[in-house]
Amino acid sequence: MEYRIRTWPDKILKEPTKEVDFFNDRLKEYIDKMWEFMYKEEGVGLAANQIGIPYQILVIDTSIREKKNEEETEPPVKMVLINPKIVEKEGQVMSTEGCLSFPGVQITIPRYKRVKVVGKNEKGEDVVVESSEFLSIVLQHEIDHLNGIPFISYLSPLKRKLVLDKYLKSLKESEYQTG
Ligand code: CO
């Protein structure tokens, strides 16, 4: 498989990923590749389909985030999450986000304030993750990727069209420049 960062409108970003039922060397290879790309691209999280792997796998490392809101109390975490599902959600916050699959796009969208997520670690053991701070947003953003939902879907249709038109235009221009 050829691994590379998939950018919108790549089809793989629009389709729900498949559940993982293999906790073996194949999964380990996927996870290793995901860490490699996430750190190379300086992301705080990566969903497997963002590098072309059609399975429910996330990697997150909130320690590489540049600046932290002073009101936050949760410590940074590094984790792998397999087959994650949001089982509780509450509250609302506005969140300003970028995405490795939409280079150059930064938008402000509503997110839940707190989420509780269940899933498995790379060994297949059950894990539960809860957050009401930065990690909560990362979890929502990345789990959406696994469900084929891009962050632009939270914009109004008009705003979404403006953002997408600008993004697609910038893609075309960069293609033109690089030949
Ligand atoms: Co993203």
Side-chain angles (χ1 to χ4, degrees):
M1 189 192 292
E2 182 219 354
Y3 302 104
R4 59 183 166 81
I5 291 278
R6 304 302 183 97
T7 52
W8 192 265
D10 193 310
K11 198 165 117 266
I12 199 166
L13 298 170
K14 302 176 183 178
E15 290 165 357
T17 49
K18 293 173 275 190
E19 202 160 284
V20 172
D21 59 4
F22 48 92
F23 292 85
N24 54 18
D25 285 351
R26 180 181 169 205
L27 177 63
K28 193 182 174 309
E29 184 193 321
Y30 288 163
I31 293 167
D32 288 348
K33 277 290 159 197
M34 289 172 67
W35 284 128
E36 186 186 315
F37 275 89
M38 195 198 80
Y39 288 124
K40 197 169 73 187
E41 303 292 331
E42 298 178 345
V44 288
L46 189 79
N49 45 343
Q50 288 185 278
I51 58 166
I53 300 165
Y55 287 98
Q56 293 176 27
I57 312 166
L58 299 182
V59 294
I60 293 174
D61 185 349
T62 59
S63 71
I64 57 174
R65 182 186 177 202
E66 276 175 27
K67 50 173 192 239
K68 194 168 177 252
N69 181 333
E70 280 169 20
E71 287 158 30
E72 291 182 20
T73 59
E74 293 176 6
V77 290
K78 178 176 171 175
M79 65 171 85
V80 173
L81 268 180
I82 312 293
N83 305 335
K85 276 182 194 60
I86 296 176
V87 292
E88 283 176 26
K89 51 198 180 188
E90 66 179 1
Q92 205 196 55
V93 287
M94 293 308 288
S95 162
T96 300
E97 300 174 19
C99 178
L100 297 179
S101 295
F102 288 83
V105 175
Q106 200 175 50
I107 56 174
T108 302
I109 54 174
R111 291 288 188 190
Y112 294 105
K113 166 92 173 125
R114 184 187 78 92
V115 292
K116 180 176 174 180
V117 171
V118 298
K120 293 190 182 294
N121 63 17
E122 61 264 62
K123 294 179 215 152
E125 298 158 348
D126 291 331
V127 290
V128 180
V129 188
E130 267 188 84
S131 174
S132 58
E133 294 179 0
F134 181 66
L135 175 63
S136 169
I137 304 295
V138 180
L139 287 166
Q140 292 174 69
H141 182 111
E142 303 306 339
I143 291 172
D144 273 348
H145 271 307
L146 296 182
N147 292 323
I149 300 169
F151 70 158
I152 53 163
S153 32
Y154 297 98
L155 295 171
S156 69
L158 178 65
K159 180 82 188 167
R160 185 159 65 229
K161 188 178 181 312
L162 289 172
V163 167
L164 268 182
D165 284 353
K166 194 176 155 203
Y167 165 72
L168 294 172
K169 190 167 167 259
S170 77
L171 276 191
K172 235 183 235 162
E173 278 165 5
S174 64
E175 269 166 30
Y176 183 72
Q177 279 160 8
T178 54

